[in-house]
Amino acid sequence: MARFLVVEARFYDHLNDMLVAGARAALEAEGHSVDVLTVPGALELPGAIALASESGQYDGYVAIGVVIRGETYHFEIVAGESARGVMALTMDGVAIGNGILTVENEAQALVRADPAQKDKGGEAAKAALALLDLQSRFAV
């Protein structure tokens, strides 16, 4: 049994609830334990995962958040930099499933977040499981 930390950027409560539920269900279905940590926004996700990773308390991580395009350039910064940070940690060997939705509107986010529809939280958890399996396979 592995121990996972779901790190969520809690901004859109109803969407996050669905993403976290999907991630938790996917991990618990495989017999793993799950803790949840909340950070203010998507830009804080990589930093929180990096700190948790350094602690050695967890085997894998799932980054959860929702970034909806607005009227300013801020969307591009948040979407790009949060993804870049998660990818950098993944390239350093941290098993992370990226469940940060970057969408045009709330309707798109609802479809992707809902475990009964696209279940992107569950997909991100499965990605983290796959990376954890690769760590074992390559004895990293």
Side-chain angles (χ1 to χ4, degrees), residues 7-130:
V7 183
E8 65 159 337
R10 191 90 183 161
F11 197 79
Y12 299 99
D13 290 343
H14 62 298
L15 298 170
N16 274 60
D17 288 344
M18 289 188 279
L19 287 165
V20 170
R24 182 183 295 278
L27 294 168
E28 289 177 347
E30 297 294 324
H32 303 294
S33 69
V34 179
D35 290 332
V36 177
L37 175 69
T38 301
V39 297
L43 289 174
E44 290 76 38
L45 289 167
I49 292 170
L51 291 170
S53 175
E54 290 174 14
S55 78
Q57 295 179 43
Y58 297 96
D59 302 297
Y61 305 86
V62 181
I64 296 292
V66 179
V67 184
I68 298 175
R69 185 178 300 277
E71 297 176 2
T72 68
Y73 184 70
H74 187 67
F75 170 86
E76 282 82 5
I77 293 169
V78 174
E81 291 302 311
S82 61
R84 186 190 61 75
V86 168
M87 182 56 67
L89 291 167
T90 302
M91 296 300 291
D92 285 341
V94 181
I96 307 171
N98 188 343
I100 305 170
L101 302 182
T102 53
V103 296
E104 297 292 326
N105 54 55
E106 187 175 344
Q108 289 177 350
L110 281 166
V111 169
R112 286 158 179 77
D114 187 352
Q117 294 185 59
K118 293 204 179 240
D119 192 21
K120 294 300 182 179
E123 285 184 13
K126 290 174 185 173
L129 287 167

